[in-house]
């Protein structure tokens, strides 16, 4: 996505690092045996999930997951959003087949990705100011052990302030017990080339430590239009385990990417140009649509240190500390004049110096840069006291976000003087100040406590109750001249929840839950914006928080050859906040619309059949009914939206696929159908349903060679190559002109869409050492 940048993790606050250091220094520490006075629990009997499509679950809520046995058969470049596309409720719009572009979208049960919490090794990945998460920056798939998708709620102790849409959790593979190495080499369509190498240390002397580090380098041309993507990535994990389940780890993930954007057409542009709606391949003087002006460089570091320690036979401590850094630019092409400029509400009396100006006008690179730092820690104590399992915890998070929209000179060939948009290289006013359309710094402090009790009423029945209190403070500085200097927003919300789980027998489970969630408006809403020296949008701290109550009722069956679940869900929203993209001085900037109330209900289901060893057949589906409860205020009138379908909420989704692996040959197939999606609140514009299909075929060559892992596989992505719009990038209230409830003519504006990616083929050789 253009506009905001998602950032990093390294582990510094109370709890995690100190415990990790103690674990390394004290080999015999905290070896506690877990015992309880609870009656013997029902033993849920299932399968080891060797095919990786439906791991066993016992949570009192809907949870789906994929694991490494499935992931390893997919194309090696796919990001986490693309990998969960088969799971019920997951609606994924990808702009490129390889998952390298930041232009992608995930909705769950019709709720956007700014409503979905994302964790990597227990640390938050959502952007601190705009709540987006960017999957192209996540860990390499070859290092991911499992991706879990809780469609309806986040865990009580999850360090995230969004979650009405659910929780996406990535868990990295543990370092191997023995010293070994793996190298993957991939070649594919659109000049794709990729190398991935991983080294596992095995046990490091007598320290009890083991580690892995990996490096990948990927390059591919844009599948449509001019441009190319590059990505360098490093993952690493250091682990120590001791005693009965005690463990401490440090995980790092570094990403350095430069992505060429894909423009998002309106419906009229799509109908007129189709896949030819692209940035210009060649530069001509005055051209602001040249592809080099839309390359987005990002650098991000993520790190976290999860620790689990048994303090006694009844008390355990879990802590995850994290630190994140990131910087990137989402640029665009525009023009500036040497005179007639404003800085905030101040008209510049002196002309600015513009290299290459002709008749006082020059092409420039418009920068939209984000510079973030974030650190925090979440810790919880769990006490087993008879039939009660009591959990109490705290979460603290501190982050800074410096957002600048400045301008950089462009040479005669259309190449920016600095594609990163650094302020020290940007265009200045005659008196040396930074010429900027937007210039602000926001500090966000989140404090939360949570308390829960899980009561085992016999061997089959468990009742959970809990509450989370979340306080979020934003304070910021607007550096532009004008009436606004300091901003501040302060929120506190209590979020109660309850759940029940009943084991009918060793294989069957019933569950139900009720959950509350909230979301504050993003930081953009606090700040004034200017157009021609006049405040065009007034910043405010009085916007109401989104608040939702959701319920789930489900049945789950876990068998040796057949597993499945079905979940009914219901949501009720107040002040439903919808993410969209607006044009802010030429930049495509994430923003939020208040859509009033919304009611949603539906059914999710999935089933996995394993008729023989190495064979799995999987089917998932969702029915969703999402309706807007209120007429939408527009100016002094109301748009007649009551009873209309919610945007980006297809009524039907169906996924199907499977895997095969007989020890010599292996493969997978994955298909998905997504129904019609509306793009406006008034439902006067929509995109039709579409289907995608991915196929993989491979062979294990180890037995024919030296016994070491040697695999050859070919992945065909989106093999049917449908020419479709895959999702809504920016919603609008109404596409055409509409008469409001009070008789006012409300002018329409066109939504924009993601163009569904084309077909691609990738061949990969994997070799173990």
């Amino acid at each position: 996505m253009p506009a905001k940048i998602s950032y990093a993790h390294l582990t510094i606050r109370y709890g995690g690092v100190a415990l990790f250091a103690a674990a390394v220094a004290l080999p015999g520490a905290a070896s506690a045996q877990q015992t309880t006075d609870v009656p013997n629990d029902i033993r849920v009997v299932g399968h080891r999930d060797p095919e990786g499509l439906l791991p066993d679950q016992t949570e009192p809520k809907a949870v789906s997951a994929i694991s490494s046995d499935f992931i390893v058969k997919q194309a090696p470049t796919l990001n986490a959003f693309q990998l969960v596309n088969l799971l019920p409720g997951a609606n994924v719009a990808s702009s490129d087949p390889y998952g390298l572009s930041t232009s992608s979208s995930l909705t769950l049960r019709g709720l956007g990705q700014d409503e979905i919490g994302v964790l990597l090794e227990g640390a938050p990945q959502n952007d601190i100011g705009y709540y987006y998460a960017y999957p192209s920056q996540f860990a390499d798939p070859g290092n991911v052990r499992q991706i879990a998708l809780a469609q309806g709620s986040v865990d009580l102790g999850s360090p995230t302030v969004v979650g009405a849409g659910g929780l996406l959790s990535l868990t990295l593979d543990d370092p191997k017990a023995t010293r070994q190495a793996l190298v993957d080499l991939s070649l594919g369509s659109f000049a794709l080339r990729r190398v991935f190498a991983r080294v596992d240390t095995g046990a490091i002397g007598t320290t009890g430590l083991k580690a892995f580090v990996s490096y990948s380098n990927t390059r591919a041309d844009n599948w449509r239009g001019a441009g190319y993507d590059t990505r360098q990535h490093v993952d690493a994990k250091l682990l120590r385990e001791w005693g009965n389940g005690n463990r401490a780890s440090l995980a790092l993930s570094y990403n350095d990417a430069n992505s060429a954007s894909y423009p998002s057409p309106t419906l009229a542009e799509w109908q007129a140009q189709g896949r030819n709606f692209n940035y210009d391949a060649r530069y001509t003087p005055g051209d602001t649509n040249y592809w080099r002006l839309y390359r987005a460089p990002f650098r991000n570091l993520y790190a976290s240190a999860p620790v689990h320690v048994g303090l006694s036979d009844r008390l355990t401590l879990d802590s995850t500390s994290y630190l994140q850094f990131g910087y990137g630019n989402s640029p665009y092409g525009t023009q500036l004049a040497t005179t007639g400029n404003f800085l905030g509400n101040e008209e510049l009396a002196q002309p600015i110096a513009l290299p290459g100006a002709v008749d006082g006008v020059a092409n420039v690179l418009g920068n939209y840069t984000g510079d973030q730092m974030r650190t925090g820690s979440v810790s919880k104590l769990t006490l087993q006291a008879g039939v009660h399992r009591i959990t109490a915890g705290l979460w603290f998070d501190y982050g800074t976000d410096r957002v600048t929209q400045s301008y950089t000179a462009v040479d005669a060939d259309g190449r920016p003087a600095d594609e990163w948009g650094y302020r020290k290289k940007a265009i200045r006013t005659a008196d040396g100040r930074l010429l900027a359309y937007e210039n602000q710094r926001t500090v966000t402090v989140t404090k939360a406590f949570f308390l829960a009790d899980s009561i085992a009423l016999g061997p089959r029945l468990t009742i959970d109750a809990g509450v989370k209190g979340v306080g979020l403070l934003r304070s910021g500085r607007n550096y532009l001249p004008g009436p606004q200097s300091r901003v501040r927003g302060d929120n506190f919300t209590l979020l109660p929840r309850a759940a029940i789980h009943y084991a009918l027998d060793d294989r069957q489970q019933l569950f139900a839950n009720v959950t509350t969630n909230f979301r504050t408006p993003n930081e953009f809403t606090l700040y004034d914006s200017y157009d021609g020296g006049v405040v065009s949008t007034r910043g405010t701290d009085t916007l109401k928080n989104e608040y939702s109550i959701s319920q789930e009722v489900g049945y789950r069956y876990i068998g040796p050859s057949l597993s499945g679940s079905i979940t009914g869900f219901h949501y009720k929203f107040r002040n439903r906040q919808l993410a969209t993209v607006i044009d802010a001085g030429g930049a495509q900037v994430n923003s939020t619309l208040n859509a009033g109330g919304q009611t949603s209900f539906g059914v999710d289901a999935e089933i996995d059949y394993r008729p023989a060893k190495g064979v799995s057949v999987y089917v998932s589906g969702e029915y969703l009914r999402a309706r807007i409860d209120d007429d939408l205020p527009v100016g002094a009138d109301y748009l007649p939206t009551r009873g209309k379908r919610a945007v980006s909420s297809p009524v039907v989704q169906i996924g199907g696929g499977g895997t095969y692996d007989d020890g010599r040959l292996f493969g997978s197939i994955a298909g998905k159908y997504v129904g019609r999606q509306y793009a406006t609140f008034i439902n006067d514009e929509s995109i039709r349903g579409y289907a995608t299909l991915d196929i993989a075929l491979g062979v294990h060559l180890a037995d024919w060679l030296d016994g070491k892992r040697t695999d050859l596989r070919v992945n065909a992505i989106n093999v049917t190559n449908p020419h479709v719009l895959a999702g809504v990038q920016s919603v609008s209230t109404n596409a055409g002109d509409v008469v409001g409830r009070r008789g006012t003519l409300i002018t329409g504006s066109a939504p924009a869409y993601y163009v569904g990616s084309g077909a691609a083929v990738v061949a990969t050789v994997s070799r173990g050492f």
Side-chain angles (χ1 to χ4, degrees), residues 399-416:
T400 62
D401 185 17
R402 179 67 188 271
V403 174
T404 307
Q405 194 174 158
S406 61
Y407 307 95
T408 299
V410 172
D411 68 17
D413 295 323
R415 294 176 179 269

Side-chain angles (χ1 to χ4, degrees), residues 53 70 73-74 86 616-619 655-660 666-672 692-697 714-716 719-720:
L53 277 168
F70 176 77
K73 296 178 176 68
Q74 310 312 303
L86 268 187
S616 174
V617 179
Y618 176 86
V619 179
T659 62
Y660 175 82
F666 65 92
S668 71
I669 185 170
K672 185 68 177 282
T692 59
L693 179 65
D694 297 342
I695 297 175
L697 296 172
V714 177
N715 293 95
V719 294
T720 58

Side-chain angles (χ1 to χ4, degrees), residues 1 10 53 83 145 205 233 346 469 479 680 703 715 737 746:
M1 294 289 296
L10 203 34
L53 277 168
L83 288 169
R145 183 172 76 239
H233 192 90
E346 178 186 332
Y479 293 99
T680 66
D703 290 345
N715 293 95
D737 296 345
I746 300 173

Side-chain angles (χ1 to χ4, degrees), residues 602-643:
V603 178
D604 283 338
E606 59 182 335
I607 188 168
D608 186 35
Y609 176 50
R610 300 168 298 278
K613 181 180 179 181
V615 180
S616 174
V617 179
Y618 176 86
V619 179
S620 70
E622 178 178 90
Y623 168 79
L624 172 66
R625 186 186 187 278
R627 293 291 187 270
I628 300 172
D629 294 339
D630 304 306
D631 289 336
L632 185 71
V634 178
D637 207 338
Y638 289 85
L639 197 67
T641 54
R642 186 182 182 91

Side-chain angles (χ1 to χ4, degrees), residues 467-637:
V467 64
K468 185 175 186 176
V470 183
L472 189 146
L473 169 67
R474 294 194 200 274
S475 60
R477 170 83 181 273
N478 190 340
Y479 293 99
L480 296 179
Q484 184 187 64
S485 176
R486 301 284 181 176
V487 301
R488 183 181 175 88
D490 199 353
N491 294 274
F492 179 80
T493 303
L494 279 175
L495 302 171
R497 61 172 59 194
I500 185 170
H501 181 273
Y502 183 73
L504 296 170
D505 54 33
D506 284 357
R507 304 197 183 282
Q508 301 181 86
Q509 308 168 38
L510 296 174
F511 62 87
N513 63 69
V514 57
T515 304
T516 57
N517 284 285
F518 89 115
R519 205 199 84 162
T520 64
N522 65 44
E523 67 180 40
F524 181 81
T525 61
L526 292 172
Y527 291 95
D528 289 350
S529 59
Y530 299 88
D531 184 10
V534 178
V535 176
S536 56
T537 303
R538 180 71 65 184
T540 178
D541 61 357
T542 62
L543 292 179
K544 295 181 179 179
N545 293 334
E546 176 184 283
Y547 189 82
S548 66
I549 301 176
S550 63
Q551 301 90 26
E552 290 182 330
V553 177
Y555 167 82
R556 186 181 290 132
Y557 178 84
I558 302 174
S561 61
L562 180 70
S563 298
S565 69
I566 183 168
T567 304
F569 57 86
H570 175 269
Y571 294 83
K572 186 71 174 179
F573 285 89
R574 296 199 308 264
N575 301 304
R576 171 84 164 91
Q577 294 182 16
L578 284 172
T580 187
V581 178
I582 63 172
D583 186 284
Q588 298 298 297
V589 177
N590 293 333
S591 188
T592 304
L593 298 176
N594 189 326
Q598 179 178 315
T599 302
S600 304
F601 64 82
V603 178
D604 283 338
E606 59 182 335
I607 188 168
D608 186 35
Y609 176 50
R610 300 168 298 278
K613 181 180 179 181
V615 180
S616 174
V617 179
Y618 176 86
V619 179
S620 70
E622 178 178 90
Y623 168 79
L624 172 66
R625 186 186 187 278
R627 293 291 187 270
I628 300 172
D629 294 339
D630 304 306
D631 289 336
L632 185 71
V634 178
D637 207 338

Side-chain angles (χ1 to χ4, degrees), residues 161 394-397 445-449 469-473 491-492:
V161 292
L394 297 171
W395 172 39
F396 175 80
D397 185 284
V445 178
T446 306
K447 300 176 182 179
F449 70 86
V470 183
L472 189 146
L473 169 67
N491 294 274
F492 179 80

Side-chain angles (χ1 to χ4, degrees), residues 629-695:
D629 294 339
D630 304 306
D631 289 336
L632 185 71
V634 178
D637 207 338
Y638 289 85
L639 197 67
T641 54
R642 186 182 182 91
K644 300 293 185 180
R645 292 185 182 180
V647 297
S648 300
S649 301
V651 175
V652 175
Q653 295 186 73
I654 300 172
T659 62
Y660 175 82
D661 193 336
D662 63 7
R664 180 64 57 80
L665 299 176
F666 65 92
S668 71
I669 185 170
K672 185 68 177 282
Y673 170 77
V674 179
R676 179 177 297 275
Q677 300 178 65
Y678 284 93
T680 66
F681 295 170
I682 202 67
N683 289 175
D684 61 348
E685 190 168 296
S686 64
I687 56 174
R688 61 185 177 88
Y690 69 95
T692 59
L693 179 65
D694 297 342
I695 297 175

